[in-house]
């Protein structure tokens, strides 16, 4: 388990060398910051590519736009640090989708060099980097309505486990399950295309074993759960 998560703040980060083999580095970010990694968020257009600028422009709520700009600015700053490039010089592409073969699979760096994953929820963003496929996810504690909606969509064993808990314990347990599952699905590249049933990740304090992957819970702020999946 990764016991330490690097904090990306307003100053330029010290990334060091890119993770090799099955090693992984995880960073977290407060997306309400005005400056991320030495770059003002309100000037992010000068760093992001056309696709990112277009996506940000479609977000109508200022808070959603701020989260997107801050997290993608942080992603480029960290990738640039690992690859020895200026953030705006990092070229991002999409791998082929493992479900249909279309060009909307896992996000990747053109030419390789490092695998990465990005997740944001509430005002928190997590970014993971590894020498092999990796997925990271952070989830804000769900409300009662979200619990009721998601519960029947999970693996039957997870639904039973969560259903046996008190209402008070069910919310943080579901956050754990959701973060673990999303981390695995992001690492594979399918996302939610095939639903939330598989893989089984369990709701206990320790994740269940997922064949082919090392799945661990990550330290997270109060009211959040976070998880990391790295290809074994």
């Amino acid at each position: 388990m990764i016991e330490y998560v690097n904090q990306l703040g307003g100053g330029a980060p010290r990334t060091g060398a890119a993770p090799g083999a099955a090693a992984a580095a995880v960073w977290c970010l407060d997306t309400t910051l005005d400056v991320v990694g030495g770059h003002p968020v309100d000037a992010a257009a000068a760093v992001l590519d056309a696709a990112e600028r277009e996506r940000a422009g479609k977000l109508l709520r200022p808070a959603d736009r701020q989260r997107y700009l801050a997290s993608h600015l942080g992603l480029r700053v960290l990738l640039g640090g690992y690859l020895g490039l200026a953030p705006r010089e990092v070229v991002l592409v999409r791998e082929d989708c493992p479900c249909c073969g279309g060009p909307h699979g896992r996000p990747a760096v053109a030419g390789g060099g490092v695998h990465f994953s990005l997740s944001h929820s509430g005002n928190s963003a997590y970014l993971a980097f590894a020498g092999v496929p990796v997925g990271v996810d952070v989830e804000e504690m769900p409300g009662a309505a979200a619990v009721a909606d998601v519960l029947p969509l999970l693996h039957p064993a997870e639904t039973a486990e969560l259903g046996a808990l008190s209402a008070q314990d069910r919310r943080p347990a579901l956050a754990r399950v959701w973060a673990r599952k999303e981390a695995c699905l992001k690492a594979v590249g399918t996302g939610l295309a095939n639903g939330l049933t598989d893989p089984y990740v369990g709701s206990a304090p320790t994740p269940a074993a997922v064949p082919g992957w090392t799945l661990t819970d990550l330290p997270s702020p109060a009211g959040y759960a976070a998880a990391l999946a790295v290809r074994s």
Side-chain angles (χ1 to χ4, degrees):
M1 174 178 176
I2 293 180
E3 297 180 351
Y4 178 75
V5 174
N6 301 287
Q7 180 75 43
L8 178 59
R14 296 182 179 180
T15 56
V26 180
W27 296 73
C28 64
L29 166 68
D30 178 353
T31 57
T32 66
L33 292 176
D34 293 328
V35 179
V36 174
H39 297 264
V41 175
D42 62 6
V47 178
L48 305 185
D49 64 21
E52 290 168 312
R53 293 194 296 271
E54 180 181 5
R55 176 69 183 275
K58 292 180 178 178
L59 297 173
L60 301 180
R61 295 179 60 222
D64 292 337
R65 193 178 309 114
Q66 166 73 22
R67 293 181 186 114
Y68 181 89
L69 292 173
S71 58
H72 280 254
L73 186 56
L75 173 65
R76 286 183 162 274
V77 167
L78 293 170
L79 281 174
Y82 286 124
L83 298 171
L85 298 171
R88 66 178 178 276
E89 295 174 346
V90 176
V91 179
L92 300 177
V93 297
R94 285 278 184 173
E95 296 179 348
D96 292 339
C97 173
C99 297
C100 68
H104 47 256
R106 293 191 315 131
V109 176
V114 64
H115 295 264
F116 69 89
S117 180
L118 164 65
S119 173
H120 55 81
S121 180
N123 292 327
S124 183
Y126 273 57
L127 307 99
F129 305 86
V132 293
V134 61
V136 73
D137 193 67
V138 58
E139 295 292 339
E140 195 170 17
M141 196 80 68
V147 172
D149 289 342
V150 173
L151 208 58
L153 305 179
L154 302 174
H155 189 283
E158 292 162 346
T159 300
E161 292 166 9
L162 292 167
L165 298 175
S166 68
Q168 181 178 359
D169 293 335
R170 194 174 299 142
R171 292 175 60 211
L174 176 58
R176 288 197 300 269
V177 170
W178 203 333
R180 294 168 183 173
K181 199 164 295 249
E182 284 256 37
C184 291
L185 296 176
K186 288 179 179 180
V188 174
T190 59
L192 300 178
N194 295 326
L196 286 169
T197 302
D198 295 316
Y200 170 74
V201 296
S203 62
T206 300
V210 177
W213 300 90
T214 299
L215 177 62
T216 59
D217 290 340
L218 296 171
S220 59
Y224 290 83
L228 177 75
V230 182
R231 178 174 287 174
S232 301

